[in-house]
Amino acid sequence: MSPAARLRGLKPRWLNDPKVWRTEVLAGLVVALALIPEAISFSIIAGVDPAIGLFASCTMAVTIAVVGGRRAMISAATGAVALVIAPLNREHGLGYLVSAVILAGVFQVVLGALGVAKLMRFVPRSVMVGFVNALAILIFMAQVPEMRNVPWAVYPLIIGGLALMVYVPKVTRVVPAPLVSIVILTVITVAAGIAVPTVGDKGALPSSLPVPGLPDVPFTMDTLTTIAPYAFAMALVGLMESLMTAKLVDDITDTRSSKTRESVGQGIANIVTGFFGGMGGCAMIGQTMINVKVSGARTRLSTFLAGAFLMVLCIVFGPVVSDIPMAALVAVMVMVSFATFDWHSIAPKTLKRMPAGEITVMLVTVACVVATHNLAIGVVVGSVVAVVIFARRVAHLAEVTVVTDPDNATAVYRVTGELFFASSNDLIGQFNYAGDPDRIVIDLSAAHIWDASSVAALDAIETKYAQRGKTVEITGLNDPSARLHGKLSGELAASH
């Protein structure tokens, strides 16, 4: 096979599909437009110049398009990252913030290589549903300030934008409805001279490309100890949001993605962003939903073009972009929030059938996210609550039944269920140490030993019988349980 033929074999099929090109290009343009006010807002939260947030959104999107593990997902400057690093910038300045971004990227690469992405399998579905619903609420709440204390004309513009996004897809899907809405509302406000808040009111757009360089900080151990806690917090928050977003996109598109590659890719993107003087970031759920769910993008091209178009729009078409009414972008994000929310999860029919524990986990996740405005905290708290509820439920599944032989010489206790730290605590109290005969058999053929707590409980039972001169025989252990019991039995006496 010739080199040219091999190269053709490596090319994705979509490169030769004009429909896919059109979808991806237009989706990238819509996302780029939606990124501008968000990036400027997050720059304000972090306490940096708007250009810093816009540069970060550009370099994050372009880099993650190449090195990321989830196609069509958008990464850029985010509010969660801005909140983490804002105190560092306030107390020590931009140089330390940029250094923290680079170090956070290094942490993410290391964590990704160590397999932190595998922890995602322990996130329950109820937490995932809570995450999605909380995210939709946060997206909507972020638009509320744009609808307060504004000229009356903003409201009909928002309603008009929503109507366009509902009805345009019924006429044609050639051009994404959000793009049609943004263009039409911009033309109306400019042509009619309607005075409403615009993108330009959020802050000045950059007029030149970012230049790579080293952060302006002393390269000393003091600097490292100052930035390390912020960098590590940023790395964890960024990975959590990115991996949860990747899992959500997997579900929407019915495709799988490499979470390990995504973790490492997020780190590389933050390192690149730091060297270009950006504020760092992670996956953006709102913009990702615009790209995947609203615009129908499915490839890395839309992600790459979102970053590329962002710089072109700011530098080349800055005056035009500045005239886009915020009402148009608010309408897009409100539509995204409604499309993102899992309405089925709160339907009366669903709530009647769902176990109370599952509903509790979902509500706790939503409440924590909305209260803290931090998706990572909500996911961690929700997962912990899910584990506690699961442990309580499983703890009651361990049952003990007793049978005494006809000669009253042997008592046989049959244990059924899972033995771990929660269920084994109740195990010790279910034996009649004083009244049983001299020989006791504990049959574990229908049980499984999971941890040291269970081995310690069995040792304690044997000790209590031995103190009364009675012997205990444990039978029916499966191979894993037998290995664990053999390794730890008799070695845990110090814990009693």
Side-chain angles (χ1 to χ4, degrees), residues 271-429:
I271 292 170
V272 171
T273 297
F275 280 119
F276 275 93
M279 59 181 276
C282 61
M284 292 192 81
I285 292 242
Q287 275 64 21
T288 297
M289 289 300 100
I290 292 175
N291 198 43
V292 175
K293 205 164 186 178
V294 179
S295 302
R298 291 294 183 270
T299 76
R300 298 178 185 275
L301 181 61
S302 58
T303 306
F304 179 87
L305 290 177
F309 283 150
L310 177 60
M311 276 296 96
V312 173
L313 287 169
C314 290
I315 296 169
V316 180
F317 298 102
V320 176
V321 172
S322 295
D323 286 336
I324 294 174
M326 282 302 299
L329 298 174
V330 168
V332 171
M333 298 311 292
V334 168
M335 181 61 74
V336 167
S337 73
F338 275 89
T340 302
F341 197 91
D342 186 351
W343 296 101
H344 176 72
S345 67
I346 61 169
K349 187 184 294 185
T350 305
L351 294 176
K352 283 180 183 178
R353 295 178 179 178
M354 193 71 66
E358 302 279 314
I359 297 172
T360 301
V361 170
M362 180 184 75
L363 293 176
V364 167
T365 304
V366 171
C368 286
V369 172
V370 173
T372 64
H373 284 233
N374 190 317
L375 293 164
I377 291 176
V379 170
V380 171
V381 173
S383 298
V384 169
V385 172
V387 168
V388 171
I389 291 174
F390 173 76
R392 286 174 59 86
R393 187 183 304 157
V394 176
H396 298 299
L397 297 180
E399 296 181 354
V400 179
T401 54
V402 60
V403 179
T404 305
D405 70 354
D407 298 331
N408 202 35
T410 304
V412 179
Y413 286 87
R414 181 175 176 81
V415 182
T416 305
E418 308 299 320
L419 299 181
F420 66 112
F421 62 89
S423 59
S424 60
N425 287 334
D426 298 330
L427 193 65
I428 298 174

Side-chain angles (χ1 to χ4, degrees), residues 58-75:
C58 171
T59 53
M60 284 292 298
V62 169
T63 308
I64 206 68
V66 178
V67 300
R70 173 65 257 177
R71 296 190 300 273
M73 191 166 78
I74 305 297
S75 290

Side-chain angles (χ1 to χ4, degrees), residues 148-168:
R148 285 180 180 161
N149 302 317
V150 292
W152 67 268
V154 167
Y155 303 111
L157 286 172
I158 293 174
I159 294 169
L162 291 170
L164 284 168
M165 283 182 283
V166 170
Y167 291 108
V168 165

Side-chain angles (χ1 to χ4, degrees), residues 47-305:
V48 299
D49 188 89
I52 304 297
L54 290 164
F55 288 158
S57 296
C58 171
T59 53
M60 284 292 298
V62 169
T63 308
I64 206 68
V66 178
V67 300
R70 173 65 257 177
R71 296 190 300 273
M73 191 166 78
I74 305 297
S75 290
T78 59
V81 168
L83 287 169
V84 170
I85 58 177
L88 179 64
N89 179 65
R90 191 165 53 246
E91 294 170 18
H92 298 279
L94 181 61
Y96 281 81
L97 180 149
V98 172
S99 302
V101 169
I102 296 171
L103 184 59
V106 173
F107 282 143
Q108 288 177 329
V109 171
V110 172
L111 290 169
L114 291 175
V116 71
K118 293 177 182 176
L119 295 175
M120 289 302 297
R121 72 182 66 177
F122 297 109
V123 177
R125 182 187 177 279
S126 50
V127 173
M128 189 69 191
V129 173
F131 169 84
V132 171
N133 290 346
L135 171 66
I137 293 169
L138 286 185
I139 292 173
F140 183 82
M141 287 173 62
Q143 311 315 309
V144 173
E146 303 297 336
M147 295 184 271
R148 285 180 180 161
N149 302 317
V150 292
W152 67 268
V154 167
Y155 303 111
L157 286 172
I158 293 174
I159 294 169
L162 291 170
L164 284 168
M165 283 182 283
V166 170
Y167 291 108
V168 165
K170 296 179 180 180
V171 178
T172 178
R173 291 184 178 272
V174 173
V175 181
L179 182 58
V180 174
S181 176
I182 291 169
V183 170
I184 290 177
L185 293 187
T186 302
V187 170
I188 289 173
T189 53
V190 172
I194 302 173
V196 290
T198 63
V199 170
D201 296 332
K202 285 286 182 181
L205 301 181
S207 57
S208 61
L209 291 170
V211 178
L214 293 173
D216 183 19
V217 293
F219 292 89
T220 63
M221 189 56 68
D222 284 344
T223 300
L224 182 61
T225 54
T226 299
I227 66 173
Y230 295 95
F232 192 66
M234 176 185 161
L236 291 179
V237 169
L239 281 182
M240 180 73 75
E241 292 209 22
S242 299
L243 294 175
M244 290 293 287
T245 306
K247 192 169 185 293
L248 178 60
V249 178
D250 287 354
D251 293 340
I252 291 171
T253 61
D254 263 343
T255 57
R256 297 183 65 184
S257 60
S258 171
K259 305 302 184 295
T260 297
R261 178 175 173 181
E262 184 60 39
S263 302
V264 174
Q266 288 291 329
I268 294 171
N270 273 307
I271 292 170
V272 171
T273 297
F275 280 119
F276 275 93
M279 59 181 276
C282 61
M284 292 192 81
I285 292 242
Q287 275 64 21
T288 297
M289 289 300 100
I290 292 175
N291 198 43
V292 175
K293 205 164 186 178
V294 179
S295 302
R298 291 294 183 270
T299 76
R300 298 178 185 275
L301 181 61
S302 58
T303 306
F304 179 87
L305 290 177

